[in-house]
């Protein structure tokens, strides 16, 4: 009889574990979603990867085989413990992406090429060297940078909300910030630790 007394506690622990497993941030899936989004905005050909792969919580590398899940031994189904996908295919997200792609190719790209603009370490665009902007273009470029940064903040928030976890917004922004830098083309500038580096 005493042996069966512990079963409700074990069952409660297992149910609680299912809930806990489902709320962790899916770093590898977020990185893949960010890569797809960023490459669609930047266009052209993706650069050969010269940045080491991002690490994920627990010390693994993004995109590697998932670690052993001890809850599988208790029969907690893989369906409950599976990594959630990160969706970027909602109408709102795709509308933002289309605006950013048009703005990037129409206004911003030449100023990344000249070194006037760079990727900030927080997932935004920064006017790095205003002296590289022709005087006649400065107002338009500053307006485009401000518009793009508004869209960037909106898309990080929208991705988190669309995936049912508004609390992931800061993590989504961090993943995207790293991806903008990783996808930067040769000669473009980016911020790292407050310092500017040319790729």
């Amino acid at each position: 009889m005493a042996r069966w007394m512990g079963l409700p506690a074990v069952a409660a622990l297992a149910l609680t574990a299912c809930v806990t497993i489902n709320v962790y941030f899916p770093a590898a899936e977020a990185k893949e979603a960010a890569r797809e989004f960023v490459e669609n905005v930047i266009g052209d050909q993706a650069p050969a990867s010269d940045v080491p792969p991002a690490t994920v919580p627990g010390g693994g590398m993004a995109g590697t085989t998932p670690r052993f899940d001890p809850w599988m031994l208790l029969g907690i189904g893989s369906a409950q413990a599976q990594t959630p996908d990160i969706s970027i295919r909602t109408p709102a997200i795709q509308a933002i992406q289309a605006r950013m792609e048009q703005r990037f190719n129409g206004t911003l790209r030449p100023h990344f090429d000249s070194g006037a603009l760079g990727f900030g370490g927080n997932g935004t665009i920064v006017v790095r060297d205003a002296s590289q902007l022709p005087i006649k273009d400065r107002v338009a470029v500053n307006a485009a940078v401000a518009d793009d940064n508004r869209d960037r903040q909106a898309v990080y928030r929208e991705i988190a909300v669309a995936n049912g976890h508004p609390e992931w917004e800061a993590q989504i922004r961090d993943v995207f910030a790293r991806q903008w830098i990783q996808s930067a083309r040769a000669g473009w500038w980016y911020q790292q630790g407050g310092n500017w580096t040319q790729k």
Side-chain angles (χ1 to χ4, degrees):
M1 172 106 169
R3 184 173 52 172
W4 300 106
M5 301 273 300
L7 282 180
V10 171
L13 175 63
L15 289 175
T16 304
C18 286
V19 172
T20 304
I21 288 171
N22 283 333
V23 297
Y24 81 93
F25 179 69
E29 288 74 14
K31 182 179 182 348
E32 181 55 31
R35 187 198 61 74
E36 179 183 334
F37 184 97
V38 168
E39 289 299 333
N40 283 336
V41 169
I42 290 177
D44 285 342
Q45 180 138 357
S49 180
D50 54 0
V51 176
T55 58
V56 296
M61 302 302 276
T64 59
T65 306
R67 293 186 314 250
F68 170 72
D69 182 0
W71 291 107
M72 291 171 66
L73 296 175
L74 293 176
I76 296 174
S78 59
Q80 294 100 327
Q82 278 181 353
T83 304
D85 289 329
I86 294 287
S87 173
I88 57 171
R89 298 205 188 327
T90 69
I93 293 169
Q94 291 189 318
I96 295 170
Q97 179 180 301
R99 284 196 308 267
M100 290 176 69
E101 182 179 355
Q102 183 177 17
R103 189 182 299 120
F104 198 89
N105 290 313
T107 305
L108 301 174
R109 181 185 301 278
H111 304 295
F112 274 92
D113 292 340
S114 74
L117 303 180
F119 290 119
N122 61 352
T124 60
I125 292 178
V126 177
V127 177
R128 188 191 71 83
D129 184 356
S131 70
Q132 295 294 321
L133 292 173
I135 293 174
K136 65 181 180 54
D137 294 340
R138 288 185 185 175
V139 171
V141 171
N142 282 321
V145 167
D147 289 343
D148 210 70
N149 284 336
R150 270 192 297 279
D151 275 343
R152 285 164 183 259
Q153 298 305 328
V155 83
Y156 305 150
R157 181 174 54 253
E158 185 62 35
I159 290 170
V161 169
N163 286 280
H165 289 279
E167 73 277 11
W168 287 352
E169 181 180 345
Q171 290 165 291
I172 295 285
R173 181 174 53 250
D174 291 346
V175 169
F176 268 77
R178 288 191 297 273
Q179 187 62 50
W180 290 112
I181 292 169
Q182 187 169 346
S183 292
R185 304 316 191 218
W188 291 4
W189 291 82
Y190 62 92
Q191 265 182 335
Q192 201 163 43
N195 299 316
W196 284 106
T197 303
Q198 190 172 26
K199 197 155 185 188

